[in-house]
Short mmCIF file of all heavy atoms in Angstrom, two decimals:
data_model
loop_
_atom_site.label_atom_id
_atom_site.label_comp_id
_atom_site.label_asym_id
_atom_site.label_seq_id
_atom_site.Cartn_x
_atom_site.Cartn_y
_atom_site.Cartn_z
N LYS E 92 -35.14 -31.60 21.67
CA LYS E 92 -33.67 -31.53 21.51
C LYS E 92 -33.23 -32.15 20.16
O LYS E 92 -32.41 -31.54 19.44
CB LYS E 92 -33.06 -32.31 22.65
CG LYS E 92 -33.13 -31.60 23.98
CD LYS E 92 -32.39 -32.44 25.09
CE LYS E 92 -32.55 -31.74 26.44
NZ LYS E 92 -31.89 -32.47 27.49
N LYS E 93 -33.85 -33.26 19.76
CA LYS E 93 -33.46 -33.89 18.45
C LYS E 93 -33.86 -32.94 17.30
O LYS E 93 -33.18 -32.97 16.30
CB LYS E 93 -34.10 -35.25 18.36
CG LYS E 93 -33.60 -36.30 19.34
CD LYS E 93 -32.11 -36.42 19.29
CE LYS E 93 -31.64 -37.45 20.29
NZ LYS E 93 -30.17 -37.63 20.30
N ARG E 94 -35.02 -32.26 17.48
CA ARG E 94 -35.46 -31.35 16.46
C ARG E 94 -34.50 -30.16 16.33
O ARG E 94 -34.12 -29.77 15.23
CB ARG E 94 -36.79 -30.81 16.76
CG ARG E 94 -37.43 -29.95 15.59
CD ARG E 94 -38.88 -29.46 15.91
NE ARG E 94 -39.74 -30.62 15.80
CZ ARG E 94 -40.44 -31.17 16.83
NH1 ARG E 94 -40.20 -30.74 18.02
NH2 ARG E 94 -41.26 -32.21 16.62
N ASN E 95 -34.04 -29.66 17.48
CA ASN E 95 -33.02 -28.57 17.45
C ASN E 95 -31.65 -29.06 16.79
O ASN E 95 -31.01 -28.36 16.12
CB ASN E 95 -32.74 -28.12 18.82
CG ASN E 95 -33.95 -27.32 19.46
OD1 ASN E 95 -34.76 -26.86 18.66
ND2 ASN E 95 -34.02 -27.30 20.73
N ALA E 96 -31.30 -30.42 17.17
CA ALA E 96 -30.06 -30.93 16.55
C ALA E 96 -30.17 -31.06 15.00
O ALA E 96 -29.26 -30.78 14.32
CB ALA E 96 -29.85 -32.33 17.19
N LEU E 97 -31.36 -31.39 14.56
CA LEU E 97 -31.60 -31.44 13.09
C LEU E 97 -31.49 -30.07 12.43
O LEU E 97 -30.86 -29.95 11.41
CB LEU E 97 -32.95 -32.07 12.79
CG LEU E 97 -33.37 -32.12 11.26
CD1 LEU E 97 -32.38 -32.91 10.51
CD2 LEU E 97 -34.77 -32.75 11.17
N GLN E 98 -32.05 -29.13 13.09
CA GLN E 98 -31.93 -27.70 12.53
C GLN E 98 -30.42 -27.28 12.52
O GLN E 98 -30.00 -26.72 11.51
CB GLN E 98 -32.69 -26.74 13.40
CG GLN E 98 -34.25 -26.99 13.28
CD GLN E 98 -34.99 -25.97 14.21
OE1 GLN E 98 -34.36 -25.23 14.96
NE2 GLN E 98 -36.33 -26.00 14.13
N LYS E 99 -29.68 -27.68 13.56
CA LYS E 99 -28.31 -27.33 13.53
C LYS E 99 -27.50 -28.03 12.45
O LYS E 99 -26.73 -27.42 11.78
CB LYS E 99 -27.70 -27.69 14.98
CG LYS E 99 -26.21 -27.39 15.10
CD LYS E 99 -25.73 -27.86 16.44
CE LYS E 99 -24.19 -27.67 16.60
NZ LYS E 99 -23.68 -28.09 17.94
N ALA E 100 -27.83 -29.38 12.29
CA ALA E 100 -27.13 -30.08 11.31
C ALA E 100 -27.40 -29.60 9.83
O ALA E 100 -26.53 -29.56 9.02
CB ALA E 100 -27.46 -31.59 11.35
N THR E 101 -28.70 -29.17 9.68
CA THR E 101 -29.07 -28.67 8.35
C THR E 101 -28.35 -27.34 8.09
O THR E 101 -27.85 -27.05 7.01
CB THR E 101 -30.56 -28.47 8.27
OG1 THR E 101 -31.28 -29.69 8.54
CG2 THR E 101 -30.98 -27.87 6.92
N ALA E 102 -28.27 -26.52 9.13
CA ALA E 102 -27.55 -25.15 8.92
C ALA E 102 -26.04 -25.43 8.70
O ALA E 102 -25.46 -24.77 7.80
CB ALA E 102 -27.79 -24.37 10.17
N GLU E 103 -25.51 -26.40 9.41
CA GLU E 103 -24.08 -26.70 9.15
C GLU E 103 -23.88 -27.26 7.78
O GLU E 103 -22.77 -26.94 7.13
CB GLU E 103 -23.56 -27.69 10.26
CG GLU E 103 -23.50 -27.09 11.62
CD GLU E 103 -23.11 -28.12 12.66
OE1 GLU E 103 -23.16 -29.37 12.35
OE2 GLU E 103 -22.75 -27.70 13.82
N LEU E 104 -24.73 -28.00 7.25
CA LEU E 104 -24.64 -28.55 5.86
C LEU E 104 -24.68 -27.41 4.86
O LEU E 104 -23.86 -27.39 3.93
CB LEU E 104 -25.75 -29.61 5.62
CG LEU E 104 -25.73 -30.13 4.16
CD1 LEU E 104 -24.48 -30.77 3.72
CD2 LEU E 104 -26.92 -31.07 4.04
N ASP E 105 -25.63 -26.50 5.08
CA ASP E 105 -25.80 -25.34 4.18
C ASP E 105 -24.52 -24.50 4.24
O ASP E 105 -23.99 -24.05 3.16
CB ASP E 105 -26.98 -24.50 4.53
CG ASP E 105 -28.31 -25.28 4.28
OD1 ASP E 105 -28.27 -26.25 3.49
OD2 ASP E 105 -29.32 -24.95 4.89
N GLN E 106 -23.93 -24.31 5.42
CA GLN E 106 -22.73 -23.50 5.56
C GLN E 106 -21.57 -24.20 4.88
O GLN E 106 -20.75 -23.53 4.26
CB GLN E 106 -22.46 -23.27 7.01
CG GLN E 106 -21.24 -22.34 7.33
CD GLN E 106 -21.42 -20.94 6.74
OE1 GLN E 106 -22.46 -20.29 6.91
NE2 GLN E 106 -20.53 -20.48 6.02
N LYS E 107 -21.48 -25.51 5.12
CA LYS E 107 -20.39 -26.29 4.56
C LYS E 107 -20.37 -26.22 2.96
O LYS E 107 -19.41 -26.07 2.35
CB LYS E 107 -20.38 -27.70 4.98
CG LYS E 107 -19.11 -28.48 4.67
CD LYS E 107 -17.89 -27.80 5.33
CE LYS E 107 -16.57 -28.56 4.95
NZ LYS E 107 -15.43 -27.94 5.56
N ARG E 108 -21.62 -26.39 2.43
CA ARG E 108 -21.73 -26.40 0.98
C ARG E 108 -21.35 -24.97 0.45
O ARG E 108 -20.71 -24.90 -0.63
CB ARG E 108 -23.15 -26.68 0.64
CG ARG E 108 -23.56 -28.16 0.83
CD ARG E 108 -25.03 -28.38 0.47
NE ARG E 108 -25.28 -28.15 -0.91
CZ ARG E 108 -25.13 -29.03 -1.91
NH1 ARG E 108 -24.71 -30.29 -1.55
NH2 ARG E 108 -25.33 -28.78 -3.16
N ARG E 109 -21.70 -23.94 1.17
CA ARG E 109 -21.40 -22.55 0.77
C ARG E 109 -19.88 -22.37 0.85
O ARG E 109 -19.25 -21.77 -0.01
CB ARG E 109 -22.12 -21.54 1.61
CG ARG E 109 -21.77 -20.09 1.26
CD ARG E 109 -22.04 -19.77 -0.19
NE ARG E 109 -21.68 -18.40 -0.52
CZ ARG E 109 -22.48 -17.41 -0.60
NH1 ARG E 109 -23.78 -17.58 -0.25
NH2 ARG E 109 -22.04 -16.17 -0.92
N ASP E 110 -19.29 -22.89 1.94
CA ASP E 110 -17.81 -22.64 2.13
C ASP E 110 -17.08 -23.44 1.05
O ASP E 110 -16.10 -22.91 0.49
CB ASP E 110 -17.39 -23.21 3.51
CG ASP E 110 -17.97 -22.37 4.58
OD1 ASP E 110 -18.32 -21.23 4.40
OD2 ASP E 110 -17.94 -22.88 5.85
N VAL E 111 -17.48 -24.67 0.72
CA VAL E 111 -16.76 -25.42 -0.27
C VAL E 111 -16.91 -24.79 -1.65
O VAL E 111 -15.92 -24.68 -2.44
CB VAL E 111 -17.29 -26.91 -0.33
CG1 VAL E 111 -16.80 -27.59 -1.56
CG2 VAL E 111 -16.86 -27.64 0.89
N GLU E 112 -18.08 -24.32 -2.02
CA GLU E 112 -18.30 -23.68 -3.24
C GLU E 112 -17.42 -22.39 -3.42
O GLU E 112 -16.81 -22.15 -4.43
CB GLU E 112 -19.78 -23.29 -3.50
CG GLU E 112 -20.07 -22.64 -4.79
CD GLU E 112 -21.53 -22.38 -5.09
OE1 GLU E 112 -22.31 -22.81 -4.25
OE2 GLU E 112 -21.80 -21.76 -6.18
N SER E 113 -17.35 -21.60 -2.30
CA SER E 113 -16.57 -20.47 -2.28
C SER E 113 -15.07 -20.81 -2.45
O SER E 113 -14.33 -20.12 -3.15
CB SER E 113 -16.79 -19.64 -1.03
OG SER E 113 -18.09 -19.12 -0.90
N GLU E 114 -14.65 -21.82 -1.72
CA GLU E 114 -13.21 -22.26 -1.79
C GLU E 114 -12.90 -22.70 -3.16
O GLU E 114 -11.77 -22.41 -3.65
CB GLU E 114 -13.02 -23.40 -0.77
CG GLU E 114 -13.07 -22.95 0.63
CD GLU E 114 -12.95 -24.07 1.65
OE1 GLU E 114 -12.86 -25.25 1.18
OE2 GLU E 114 -13.13 -23.85 2.88
N VAL E 115 -13.79 -23.45 -3.77
CA VAL E 115 -13.51 -23.93 -5.21
C VAL E 115 -13.32 -22.72 -6.18
O VAL E 115 -12.40 -22.72 -6.92
CB VAL E 115 -14.61 -24.89 -5.68
CG1 VAL E 115 -14.42 -25.22 -7.14
CG2 VAL E 115 -14.49 -26.19 -4.86
N ARG E 116 -14.30 -21.85 -6.14
CA ARG E 116 -14.25 -20.67 -7.06
C ARG E 116 -13.04 -19.82 -6.72
O ARG E 116 -12.36 -19.37 -7.70
CB ARG E 116 -15.52 -19.85 -6.91
CG ARG E 116 -16.78 -20.62 -7.31
CD ARG E 116 -18.03 -19.71 -7.29
NE ARG E 116 -19.20 -20.45 -7.63
CZ ARG E 116 -19.63 -20.68 -8.88
NH1 ARG E 116 -18.89 -20.30 -9.88
NH2 ARG E 116 -20.72 -21.40 -9.06
N ARG E 117 -12.69 -19.67 -5.49
CA ARG E 117 -11.49 -18.87 -5.18
C ARG E 117 -10.25 -19.59 -5.60
O ARG E 117 -9.32 -18.98 -6.05
CB ARG E 117 -11.47 -18.59 -3.67
CG ARG E 117 -10.31 -17.68 -3.23
CD ARG E 117 -10.39 -17.35 -1.74
NE ARG E 117 -11.60 -16.61 -1.41
CZ ARG E 117 -12.55 -17.09 -0.68
NH1 ARG E 117 -12.61 -18.36 -0.35
NH2 ARG E 117 -13.64 -16.39 -0.45
N ALA E 118 -10.21 -20.91 -5.41
CA ALA E 118 -9.03 -21.67 -5.83
C ALA E 118 -8.83 -21.57 -7.33
O ALA E 118 -7.71 -21.42 -7.81
CB ALA E 118 -9.16 -23.10 -5.40
N VAL E 119 -9.89 -21.77 -8.13
CA VAL E 119 -9.82 -21.68 -9.55
C VAL E 119 -9.33 -20.22 -9.94
O VAL E 119 -8.50 -20.06 -10.85
CB VAL E 119 -11.08 -21.98 -10.19
CG1 VAL E 119 -11.01 -21.75 -11.71
CG2 VAL E 119 -11.41 -23.49 -9.98
N GLN E 120 -9.89 -19.30 -9.31
CA GLN E 120 -9.53 -17.88 -9.63
C GLN E 120 -8.09 -17.58 -9.27
O GLN E 120 -7.38 -17.01 -10.01
CB GLN E 120 -10.48 -16.91 -8.86
CG GLN E 120 -10.15 -15.48 -9.09
CD GLN E 120 -11.19 -14.54 -8.33
OE1 GLN E 120 -12.33 -14.74 -8.38
NE2 GLN E 120 -10.61 -13.59 -7.61
N ASP E 121 -7.68 -17.96 -8.16
CA ASP E 121 -6.27 -17.81 -7.72
C ASP E 121 -5.36 -18.60 -8.61
O ASP E 121 -4.21 -18.05 -8.90
CB ASP E 121 -6.13 -18.28 -6.26
CG ASP E 121 -6.85 -17.31 -5.24
OD1 ASP E 121 -7.27 -16.29 -5.65
OD2 ASP E 121 -6.97 -17.79 -4.07
N ARG E 122 -5.72 -19.74 -8.96
CA ARG E 122 -4.80 -20.56 -9.86
C ARG E 122 -4.65 -19.84 -11.22
O ARG E 122 -3.49 -19.75 -11.72
CB ARG E 122 -5.35 -21.95 -10.03
CG ARG E 122 -4.47 -22.87 -10.80
CD ARG E 122 -5.15 -23.97 -11.53
NE ARG E 122 -6.00 -23.36 -12.55
CZ ARG E 122 -6.67 -24.11 -13.52
NH1 ARG E 122 -6.53 -25.44 -13.48
NH2 ARG E 122 -7.41 -23.56 -14.44
N ASP E 123 -5.74 -19.43 -11.81
CA ASP E 123 -5.63 -18.71 -13.08
C ASP E 123 -4.90 -17.38 -12.93
O ASP E 123 -4.04 -17.05 -13.76
CB ASP E 123 -7.05 -18.43 -13.63
CG ASP E 123 -7.80 -19.71 -13.97
OD1 ASP E 123 -7.05 -20.81 -14.11
OD2 ASP E 123 -8.97 -19.67 -14.07
N GLY E 124 -5.14 -16.68 -11.82
CA GLY E 124 -4.31 -15.47 -11.63
C GLY E 124 -2.86 -15.73 -11.40
O GLY E 124 -2.00 -14.95 -11.85
N SER E 125 -2.60 -16.80 -10.67
CA SER E 125 -1.19 -17.18 -10.42
C SER E 125 -0.51 -17.52 -11.71
O SER E 125 0.74 -17.26 -11.88
CB SER E 125 -1.10 -18.34 -9.40
OG SER E 125 -1.64 -17.93 -8.16
N ALA E 126 -1.19 -18.22 -12.63
CA ALA E 126 -0.60 -18.63 -13.88
C ALA E 126 -0.20 -17.43 -14.71
O ALA E 126 0.85 -17.33 -15.31
CB ALA E 126 -1.60 -19.48 -14.75
N ILE E 127 -1.05 -16.38 -14.74
CA ILE E 127 -0.75 -15.14 -15.45
C ILE E 127 0.37 -14.46 -14.82
O ILE E 127 1.26 -13.92 -15.46
CB ILE E 127 -1.97 -14.27 -15.52
CG1 ILE E 127 -3.12 -14.90 -16.33
CG2 ILE E 127 -1.66 -12.87 -16.15
CD1 ILE E 127 -4.47 -14.20 -16.29
N ALA E 128 0.34 -14.39 -13.44
CA ALA E 128 1.49 -13.80 -12.73
C ALA E 128 2.81 -14.43 -12.95
O ALA E 128 3.82 -13.74 -13.11
CB ALA E 128 1.11 -13.69 -11.24
N TYR E 129 2.74 -15.78 -13.01
CA TYR E 129 4.02 -16.47 -13.28
C TYR E 129 4.53 -16.22 -14.64
O TYR E 129 5.79 -16.03 -14.81
CB TYR E 129 3.80 -17.95 -13.05
CG TYR E 129 4.98 -18.80 -13.45
CD1 TYR E 129 6.19 -18.70 -12.76
CD2 TYR E 129 4.94 -19.74 -14.51
CE1 TYR E 129 7.29 -19.43 -13.02
CE2 TYR E 129 6.08 -20.53 -14.77
CZ TYR E 129 7.22 -20.39 -14.11
OH TYR E 129 8.38 -21.07 -14.36
N GLN E 130 3.66 -16.18 -15.67
CA GLN E 130 4.14 -15.82 -17.02
C GLN E 130 4.78 -14.49 -17.02
O GLN E 130 5.82 -14.25 -17.74
CB GLN E 130 2.98 -15.97 -17.98
CG GLN E 130 2.55 -17.45 -18.17
CD GLN E 130 1.27 -17.52 -19.05
OE1 GLN E 130 0.43 -16.68 -18.96
NE2 GLN E 130 1.16 -18.60 -19.79
N GLN E 131 4.15 -13.52 -16.32
CA GLN E 131 4.70 -12.19 -16.29
C GLN E 131 6.05 -12.19 -15.59
O GLN E 131 6.98 -11.42 -15.94
CB GLN E 131 3.68 -11.21 -15.68
CG GLN E 131 2.45 -11.07 -16.54
CD GLN E 131 1.35 -10.17 -15.83
OE1 GLN E 131 1.43 -9.95 -14.61
NE2 GLN E 131 0.38 -9.69 -16.64
N ALA E 132 6.05 -12.96 -14.44
CA ALA E 132 7.36 -12.97 -13.69
C ALA E 132 8.46 -13.60 -14.54
O ALA E 132 9.62 -13.22 -14.34
CB ALA E 132 7.07 -13.77 -12.39
N GLN E 133 8.10 -14.63 -15.29
CA GLN E 133 9.13 -15.22 -16.10
C GLN E 133 9.69 -14.20 -17.15
O GLN E 133 10.85 -14.10 -17.28
CB GLN E 133 8.46 -16.35 -16.99
CG GLN E 133 8.54 -17.70 -16.27
CD GLN E 133 8.04 -18.87 -17.26
OE1 GLN E 133 7.02 -18.67 -17.93
NE2 GLN E 133 8.77 -19.88 -17.24
N ARG E 134 8.78 -13.45 -17.75
CA ARG E 134 9.28 -12.39 -18.70
C ARG E 134 10.08 -11.37 -17.96
O ARG E 134 11.13 -10.95 -18.46
CB ARG E 134 8.05 -11.75 -19.40
CG ARG E 134 8.35 -10.63 -20.33
CD ARG E 134 9.35 -11.08 -21.36
NE ARG E 134 9.70 -10.02 -22.32
CZ ARG E 134 10.75 -9.99 -23.10
NH1 ARG E 134 11.54 -11.01 -23.10
NH2 ARG E 134 10.96 -8.92 -23.82
N LYS E 135 9.65 -10.95 -16.79
CA LYS E 135 10.40 -9.97 -16.06
C LYS E 135 11.79 -10.47 -15.71
O LYS E 135 12.75 -9.77 -15.70
CB LYS E 135 9.63 -9.53 -14.83
CG LYS E 135 10.26 -8.36 -13.99
CD LYS E 135 9.51 -7.97 -12.80
CE LYS E 135 9.47 -8.98 -11.76
NZ LYS E 135 8.81 -8.47 -10.53
N ALA E 136 11.81 -11.74 -15.22
CA ALA E 136 13.19 -12.36 -14.88
C ALA E 136 14.10 -12.40 -16.04
O ALA E 136 15.30 -12.10 -15.94
CB ALA E 136 12.98 -13.74 -14.30
N GLU E 137 13.60 -12.73 -17.28
CA GLU E 137 14.43 -12.74 -18.47
C GLU E 137 15.00 -11.37 -18.80
O GLU E 137 16.15 -11.19 -19.14
CB GLU E 137 13.63 -13.23 -19.64
CG GLU E 137 13.19 -14.68 -19.54
CD GLU E 137 12.27 -15.20 -20.59
OE1 GLU E 137 11.94 -14.26 -21.45
OE2 GLU E 137 11.89 -16.35 -20.64
N VAL E 138 14.11 -10.34 -18.74
CA VAL E 138 14.54 -9.00 -18.98
C VAL E 138 15.55 -8.53 -17.92
O VAL E 138 16.64 -7.86 -18.30
CB VAL E 138 13.40 -8.05 -19.03
CG1 VAL E 138 13.76 -6.58 -19.19
CG2 VAL E 138 12.40 -8.44 -20.17
N GLN E 139 15.22 -8.71 -16.74
CA GLN E 139 16.19 -8.30 -15.60
C GLN E 139 17.47 -9.02 -15.68
O GLN E 139 18.55 -8.45 -15.34
CB GLN E 139 15.56 -8.49 -14.22
CG GLN E 139 14.37 -7.59 -14.00
CD GLN E 139 14.76 -6.11 -13.93
OE1 GLN E 139 15.93 -5.77 -13.65
NE2 GLN E 139 13.79 -5.23 -14.04
#
């Protein structure tokens, strides 16, 4: 049972590391995309 618990904990660690890495990359990508979108929205608001 303890060996199975270790396998489960190792898998959960690998999954968590993958989730955090994906979340970080997505957050940086979304932030950069939102910055460009905001600059464009500023320009559109001025013209409108």
Side-chain angles (χ1 to χ4, degrees):
K92 290 180 180 179
K93 296 303 181 182
R94 185 177 289 112
N95 292 336
L97 175 58
Q98 293 177 354
K99 178 182 176 181
T101 301
E103 290 176 347
L104 174 60
D105 293 339
Q106 183 63 50
K107 190 61 180 180
R108 291 175 63 87
R109 179 57 184 263
D110 291 343
V111 169
E112 182 175 357
S113 298
E114 289 172 4
V115 172
R116 295 185 183 279
R117 185 177 294 109
V119 174
Q120 177 179 314
D121 291 347
R122 189 207 62 172
D123 295 341
S125 299
I127 297 174
Y129 175 62
Q130 291 173 327
Q131 294 175 344
Q133 273 187 313
R134 176 57 183 164
K135 184 176 72 171
E137 293 173 358
V138 173
Q139 290 295 339

